[in-house]
Amino acid sequence: MSQHQSAQGILVGVDGSAESDAAIRWAAREASMRGAALTLVHVVAPLVARWPIASMYANISEWQRDNARHVLEQGVKTAHACVADSRFTDIHSETVSSSVVPALVHASRSQTMVVVGSRGTGALGRMLLGSVSTGLVHHSHCPVAVIRPEAAVVDGTAPVLLGVDGSPASEAATAMAFEEASGRGVGLVALHAWSDVAVYPMLGMDWSEYESQGHEVLAERLAGWQERYPDVNVRRRLVCDQPARWLIRESEHAQLVVVGSRGRSGFASTWLGSVGSAVAQSADIPVLVVRGSSTGSR
């Protein structure tokens, strides 16, 4: 086990929580599948206190170091235990003294993917993404996978689910989704909603026109990718409204959801706030959020 961060691999933030353990297991399997290095990072936030309170925490740094060592050692054991290929030994660990989100965002510059639990040791409820996962999906320089500890056992033959919108930013998510489906040897479901809000029937509304436009968007966004990944069977899914609701619903029959980090609105993170964040909060399977400039490489 090396105490350094490897470049262009998969990084997982660990803190000893159930969410962290789930993230380690998923990241280890992903790294083994990709043949990529796996780096476990435990971030220790510096304590700032004035005398006389500071004297009460004289040994806190030593305790933090011991705790970090324990968390990382257990994390490495967890990673090895869940990977069937005994030849997979490219696992590293590192302790960083910093604020958690800035440290992981900085580390994401040299990684293929960052994996975190849906919430950490201080979270209060299932329906709220933790501050770390929320910060990362907004600011990471590479794709971010958000993992839940209570997720049901995923069917290995289930497809990858891709959320497609009409923006150029969804191209990176499409690339990653095809890559993930091909690596898993499964199909891909590409879902497109031609409206971000609930739609109610109106007199004279030409539904066929909207449907035709939706099919055009799907065809445009998938063009070239099916030729590049002929092994991936693609099923197109067109819905009329509320993409988050449909993605969550469709995720019940998938093993991974891939969404972009921004969309039709044109404002960075706006689409993520309304769709990607909702899916990451509610889906019981891993959710992979891909920034517009992110591309995966196997």
Side-chain angles (χ1 to χ4, degrees):
M1 178 178 66
S2 302
Q3 295 293 322
H4 71 276
Q5 182 178 305
S6 58
Q8 292 302 307
I10 295 178
L11 182 146
V12 53
V14 302
D15 62 8
S17 65
E19 286 79 4
S20 170
D21 289 344
I24 292 170
R25 289 190 292 269
W26 190 88
R29 289 189 290 267
E30 183 77 11
S32 179
M33 180 181 70
R34 288 171 168 258
L38 177 66
T39 301
L40 277 57
V41 173
H42 178 68
V43 182
V44 177
L47 291 176
V48 179
R50 296 183 178 181
W51 189 90
I53 298 177
S55 61
M56 299 171 59
Y57 297 94
N59 297 320
I60 193 65
S61 294
E62 182 178 351
W63 176 85
Q64 287 178 317
R65 285 193 297 270
D66 290 341
N67 181 66
R69 187 181 306 110
H70 173 74
V71 166
L72 289 173
E73 287 177 352
Q74 291 301 118
V76 170
K77 290 179 181 178
T78 298
H80 279 296
C82 69
V83 177
D85 188 353
S86 60
R87 295 171 298 176
F88 178 65
T89 59
D90 199 0
I91 301 178
H92 313 276
S93 65
E94 180 180 3
T95 300
V96 177
S97 179
S98 174
S99 296
V100 180
V101 174
L104 294 180
V105 168
H106 176 74
S108 72
R109 292 178 178 273
S110 60
Q111 299 297 319
T112 301
M113 181 187 300
V114 174
V115 183
V116 291
S118 56
R119 62 182 186 268
T121 53
L124 297 177
R126 182 186 190 280
M127 290 304 294
L128 292 177
L129 278 181
S131 59
V132 173
S133 51
T134 299
L136 275 172
V137 294
H138 281 83
H139 301 293
S140 175
H141 299 281
C142 67
V144 176
V146 180
I147 314 299
R148 289 195 175 282
E150 66 268 32
V153 176
V154 177
D155 179 1
T157 64
V160 170
L161 175 62
L162 166 67
V164 179
D165 67 18
S167 72
S170 68
E171 187 76 359
T174 301
M176 181 64 76
F178 270 93
E179 182 180 337
E180 291 293 327
S182 179
R184 288 169 166 76
V186 299
L188 175 71
V189 176
L191 184 147
H192 171 67
W194 50 259
S195 174
D196 292 332
V197 297
V199 175
Y200 301 97
M202 292 184 292
L203 186 63
M205 194 171 187
D206 189 351
W207 294 95
S208 62
E209 179 180 350
Y210 284 106
E211 184 176 9
S212 177
Q213 291 175 355
H215 284 298
E216 288 179 7
V217 169
L218 274 175
E220 178 183 345
R221 293 304 164 196
L222 297 176
W225 292 108
Q226 289 180 280
E227 289 75 15
R228 184 174 177 179
Y229 292 92
D231 58 316
V232 177
N233 180 46
V234 179
R235 181 167 66 89
R236 303 182 184 187
R237 185 85 164 87
L238 183 65
V239 296
C240 66
D241 63 0
Q242 296 180 299
R245 179 170 67 88
W246 284 105
L247 284 169
I248 293 167
R249 182 174 176 177
E250 289 290 325
S251 72
E252 297 175 2
H253 310 289
Q255 63 173 282
L256 173 69
V257 183
V258 182
V259 293
S261 64
R262 68 178 84 176
R264 282 187 284 247
S265 64
F267 295 96
S269 302
T270 299
W271 190 77
L272 170 64
S274 62
V275 178
S277 182
V279 176
Q281 286 176 359
S282 301
D284 284 327
I285 62 174
V287 177
L288 186 55
V289 182
V290 186
R291 291 183 63 81
S293 59
S294 299
T295 55
S297 60
R298 199 175 290 280

